[in-house]
Amino acid sequence: MSFFDFEPVLAGRIISVITIDRAEDAEPLTQALIDGGLDALEITFRTEAAPEAIRRIKGAFPKAHLGAGTLLTGEQVRLALNAGATFGLAPGMNPEVIRFAHEQRLGFIPGVMTPSDVEVALSLGCHIQKFFPADIAGGVKMLKALSAPYAHTGLKFIPLGGVTAATLADYLSAPCVAAVGGSWIADRNLIKAGDWSGITKLAKEAVAIAKSREIS
């Protein structure tokens, strides 16, 4: 939608996807990612800690590009907005949630996997869409085939689900890919262990791969 500019969020071409169990881990985790060169984050609403984690990150790192993921209901959209998220994502394509998010002026990226999903999302003004689950849905080959009939619309994808450091370059080399969502960078077990240096290392590796690939 025109009211939200996704360009700053997508500039680094990687969004770190985070499932956080303890809100108090939010600040050191975000610092670890920023130290690694990543400032675009998606905090998934898969745990009760998500809203408070977003509030903490918003307060400590106001310049971070902070999204809320796994938004399945209007109430979760409201919680994400109140916590400080500036954009939202979902694993699927729910028109009611998309419309509500847009009414609330929250930039929204729905999840798609089929041409029908793509067309409904486009009809609702979503020209950035999440291809999910990317790996088992056919990976780069499927993504290129799916995007071909819609390239003239300006549609771009964020593949997520099963993407790894080993496949990151292939996804980023696809012209239809705006950015990649990565959950391996801030793996849930690394967060639980407080392995901030390990997360920084993974972030730096991902950033280096992204910088080596440009949209062709």
Side-chain angles (χ1 to χ4, degrees):
M1 297 292 286
S2 59
F3 64 81
F4 187 82
D5 181 11
F6 280 106
E7 188 173 346
V9 177
L10 305 174
R13 304 202 68 202
I14 299 174
I15 298 174
S16 182
V17 180
I18 299 160
T19 299
I20 194 163
D21 293 282
R22 300 176 303 229
E24 59 266 29
D25 288 333
E27 293 96 337
L29 167 61
T30 304
Q31 187 64 63
L33 290 167
I34 289 175
D35 289 346
L38 293 180
D39 64 357
L41 289 66
E42 173 193 339
I43 306 298
T44 68
F45 267 59
R46 299 183 184 183
T47 69
E48 293 182 358
E52 178 60 22
I54 290 173
R55 275 190 286 271
R56 286 172 174 254
I57 295 169
K58 185 69 173 180
F61 305 92
K63 294 184 178 180
H65 303 296
L66 185 55
T70 323
L71 299 182
L72 307 180
T73 66
E75 179 57 28
Q76 288 180 322
V77 168
R78 197 186 306 278
L79 285 171
L81 272 169
N82 289 342
T86 55
F87 66 99
L89 307 93
M93 203 287 306
N94 185 323
E96 290 185 8
V97 174
I98 294 171
R99 290 190 187 99
F100 182 76
H102 288 171
E103 287 171 4
Q104 301 301 312
R105 313 295 286 178
L106 180 72
F108 202 80
I109 303 172
V112 301
M113 195 175 66
T114 70
S116 295
D117 292 340
V118 168
E119 291 185 19
V120 174
L122 283 174
S123 74
L124 294 168
C126 300
H127 286 80
I128 303 293
Q129 301 177 11
K130 179 169 78 171
F131 178 55
F132 178 83
D135 183 50
I136 63 173
V140 176
K141 186 175 181 180
M142 173 61 177
L143 187 54
K144 288 180 177 179
L146 180 63
S147 68
Y150 308 104
H152 65 285
T153 69
L155 174 65
K156 296 292 183 180
F157 291 99
I158 300 174
L160 193 153
V163 182
T164 67
T167 59
L168 177 60
D170 287 340
Y171 279 105
L172 290 175
S173 295
C176 60
V177 171
V180 169
S183 58
W184 81 91
I185 299 168
D187 179 83
R188 197 171 184 174
N189 291 326
L190 292 177
I191 298 172
K192 287 181 178 180
D195 188 359
W196 313 127
S197 62
I199 290 172
T200 296
K201 180 176 182 291
L202 290 171
K204 287 181 177 179
E205 291 172 353
V207 168
I209 293 170
K211 286 182 177 179
S212 73
R213 293 294 185 275
E214 295 182 355
I215 299 176
S216 58

